[in-house]
Amino acid sequence: PVREITGKDRDQWELLWAAYNAFYGRDGASALSGTVVETTWGRLMNADEPVFGFVFENEARLLGLAHCVFHRNLIHVANTCYMQDLFTAPEARGKGVGRALLAGIRVFCKSRGVDNIYWHTQTHNATARKLYDDVGQNTEFLVYRWAI
């Protein structure tokens, strides 16, 4: 089942988080620094942050994670949810873990008065896009980034 992340999840979360980042090429020399990992964990554990973490747990084992951030939006009155990360352990893919995490985030958002969730994925991530095309609407927007 899906639940909010807690302090006892740290070790398993860190393994999933590292695997998620490796999937996107952030491993080895380009892995996230320890400072970024610590800061992310701290934000997830801080009730004053608009950052939330969810896990899918089966028999005391975490099989997936999702992170989201609430923020203001200039075209909606209610806050918006940006689902920044969604990851399912490779051995659990195709078994409903990602769909369950999305459903859990949806319920959480609704309980907090948030009525819009959006996310990004890479165009070649066919496995994720199959799920995303089923539950969401592809807006056809491209994402640009400008490092400062």
Side-chain angles (χ1 to χ4, degrees):
V2 174
R3 61 173 175 75
E4 286 188 67
I5 199 167
T6 67
K8 72 180 178 81
D9 298 321
R10 173 64 190 258
D11 292 342
Q12 289 191 68
W13 169 85
E14 197 161 338
L15 292 173
L16 284 172
W17 178 237
Y20 168 81
N21 282 293
F23 178 83
Y24 283 108
R26 294 182 295 262
D27 63 343
S30 64
L32 296 180
S33 71
T35 301
V36 170
V37 173
E38 286 300 318
T39 300
T40 299
W41 181 254
R43 288 174 177 162
L44 289 167
M45 294 295 108
N46 185 341
D48 294 328
E49 288 279 351
V51 177
F52 307 94
F54 302 89
V55 292
F56 184 100
E57 182 178 32
N58 186 35
E59 298 180 0
R61 182 153 179 256
L62 300 187
L63 298 175
L65 62 76
H67 303 136
C68 60
V69 180
F70 286 2
H71 65 86
R72 299 273 189 234
N73 187 315
L74 300 178
I75 60 172
H76 298 280
V77 174
N79 277 345
T80 293
C81 174
Y82 171 48
M83 185 183 68
Q84 185 164 342
D85 312 307
L86 178 76
F87 183 75
T88 299
E91 65 275 14
R93 292 190 184 139
K95 297 180 179 173
V97 173
R99 186 176 300 274
L101 284 162
L102 286 168
I105 290 172
R106 189 172 193 270
V107 168
F108 181 79
C109 286
K110 190 170 186 175
S111 76
R112 302 270 178 125
V114 174
D115 60 7
N116 186 29
I117 304 168
Y118 72 101
W119 59 90
H120 306 113
T121 195
Q122 291 180 324
T123 57
H124 64 270
N125 190 349
T127 302
R129 289 186 67 186
K130 183 178 177 188
L131 170 61
Y132 297 161
D133 287 343
D134 190 43
V135 299
Q137 175 188 2
N138 183 341
T139 63
E140 300 296 329
F141 273 83
L142 298 174
V143 176
Y144 292 84
R145 195 172 306 273
W146 189 10
I148 300 185

